[in-house]
Amino acid sequence: MVNVAVLGYGTVGSGVVEVIEKNKDMVNKKSGQELNVKYILDLRDFPGDPYEDKVVHDFDTIVNDEEVQIICETMGGVGAAYAFTKSALEKGKSVCTSNKELVAKHGPELLQIARKNNCNYLFEASVGGGIPIIRPLNYSLTAERIEGINGILNGTTNYILSKMEMEGADFDTVLKEAQEKGYAERNPEADVEGHDACRKIAILSSLMMGKNVDSEKIYTEGITKVTADDFVYAKAAGKTVKLLGRSVAMGESEVLAMVAPFMIDKSHPLAMVNDVFNAVFVTGNMLGDSMYYGRGAGKLPTASAVVSDVVDCARHLGKVIMCFWDDADAKLADISELDRSFYVRVKASAKDAAVEMLGDDVLTVPGRDEDLVIFSKSMKEKEFAACCEKLGDAVLSKIRLY
């Protein structure tokens, strides 16, 4: 028997217990032995809950119990979750987590501690919820030189953008609806400003490079400036708008990593990912393109990914599962020096100046005489920024082209 403890009995933590118990026969068969949830750590009591007898309030009860071999950290944050995870790994207990913030900030350190103590730190659920992506990068694609990863990594923002496109609604209206449905938090900043997606692309970039990519240094831009008007022009051009986490290997030790809205052709597979779904598009030098698609959040999809890590740990007790993520920092490319094309919506009165600076690929929509769109020539980000500064308040909106 392998004893498991769950830290945090909220949405994901309760889902982990539910998956282990409801799929007990299958989970035990695939683990090669019986899994038993021995403890659930939470500050609260849960009277009437079927597992109330397993609830404890002191982490020391868990970490000092030699019978506990695997811990599921579903608390979130980088305070107590970091302290408890580090302590557990130092005791030789494997830890499985859904905590993308902790993985992005302390991943290399915690992996190193796990290796030193002959146990494992696994984090499949930290990116893409229930979508298998960490394990494919670590195992299935090991023969590949990964050249790029592009992903829709946040279900909240994808839901908002999808609704704006389909209904012609503005950002504030759709955000309010998303909050009412529970898809967006009361304080949605981490989602709509791109911070959640940034942590996830940092993790994926680190696995791609084998070196640490610091999430706090990644250029990050959210979706709050995307408007319903932008979708009108995107549709006319056969495109849509998605918030993408992008990572491109620029050599052995340099990586381009960023999060921002991109205008993308409707024919691209990522353009077809709508609602709360996520997708990760991976480009390898031999395989070419492959895409991993599914629910990027939610109680049971995320819990399923955590339990898949628990099964992996149970199969490898006393053995280290290799994960190539060193603590040496990868160099981040300066995005201001990158060449790309842009969508820019300007007031019609500024057409001549805008065309002179940006190019003459102009898109107009019948009945909309007050503005027009230019798809710019390829130019450096810093050059485009300088052009927009010269145009001043004539610029109504701007989005990078994918």
Side-chain angles (χ1 to χ4, degrees), residues 43-303:
L43 294 173
R44 303 163 292 174
D45 289 309
F46 297 87
D49 188 275
Y51 309 108
E52 64 176 314
D53 60 316
K54 299 179 184 292
V55 176
V56 296
H57 306 302
D58 187 352
F59 176 69
D60 287 344
T61 302
I62 296 170
V63 78
N64 292 325
D65 187 337
E66 295 183 359
E67 292 185 348
V68 174
Q69 294 165 289
I70 302 172
I71 291 176
C72 301
E73 186 274 297
T74 59
M75 301 168 63
V78 293
Y82 168 67
F84 292 170
T85 297
K86 185 176 179 180
S87 179
L89 294 172
E90 288 172 342
K91 287 272 191 174
K93 301 178 190 297
S94 291
V95 177
C96 309
T97 186
S98 59
N99 188 343
K100 83 278 277 179
E101 186 178 4
L102 180 59
V103 177
K105 190 172 182 65
H106 294 290
E109 176 194 359
L110 296 173
L111 284 166
Q112 189 174 33
I113 294 171
R115 284 193 291 268
K116 190 179 297 185
N117 291 280
N118 213 32
C119 58
N120 290 290
Y121 183 56
L122 302 185
F123 42 90
E124 180 64 69
S126 67
V127 178
I131 304 172
I133 184 60
I134 304 298
R135 198 169 278 106
L137 288 176
N138 275 337
Y139 306 153
S140 308
L141 300 176
T142 49
E144 293 288 316
R145 183 186 299 279
I146 304 300
E147 297 176 336
I149 298 174
N150 293 278
I152 295 170
L153 302 173
N154 182 273
T156 299
T157 50
N158 203 44
Y159 173 84
I160 291 171
L161 293 174
S162 297
K163 294 286 280 187
M164 289 175 69
E165 177 179 32
M166 290 184 289
E167 298 178 2
D170 62 31
F171 172 81
D172 290 334
T173 300
V174 180
L175 172 59
K176 184 178 180 182
E177 181 184 329
Q179 289 171 319
E180 290 170 351
K181 290 188 173 183
Y183 294 150
E185 301 289 342
R186 183 174 298 176
N187 179 0
E189 182 180 351
D191 293 322
V192 301
E193 296 295 352
H195 304 311
D196 177 78
C198 174
R199 292 168 186 141
K200 294 171 182 176
I201 199 63
I203 293 168
L204 296 178
S205 299
S206 297
L207 294 175
M208 178 179 77
M209 299 300 295
K211 298 178 182 294
N212 189 51
V213 177
D214 188 345
S215 63
E216 295 181 5
K217 296 179 181 177
I218 292 176
Y219 175 86
T220 303
E221 182 181 320
I223 65 168
T224 56
K225 295 179 182 177
V226 178
T227 70
D229 289 332
D230 295 326
F231 281 103
V232 172
Y233 285 102
K235 182 179 180 181
K239 300 176 185 294
T240 188
V241 181
K242 296 293 183 184
L243 181 72
L244 299 182
R246 300 202 64 190
S247 183
V248 179
M250 309 288 283
E252 292 293 329
S253 59
E254 185 175 14
V255 61
L256 158 65
M258 65 183 300
V259 172
F262 281 84
M263 195 165 279
I264 183 170
D265 287 342
K266 276 285 194 177
S267 60
H268 194 284
L270 286 172
M272 304 170 196
V273 179
N274 292 309
D275 205 69
V276 295
F277 284 84
N278 284 193
V280 184
F281 193 81
V282 180
T283 302
N285 69 329
M286 296 296 165
L287 173 65
D289 297 329
S290 58
M291 191 168 86
Y292 307 80
Y293 167 85
R295 292 193 177 274
K299 176 179 178 176
L300 294 179
T302 305

Side-chain angles (χ1 to χ4, degrees), residues 15 36 179 230 281 290 331 346 356 358 391:
N36 173 58
Q179 289 171 319
D230 295 326
F281 193 81
S290 58
K331 180 182 178 183
V346 299
E356 182 181 353
L358 301 172
L391 290 168

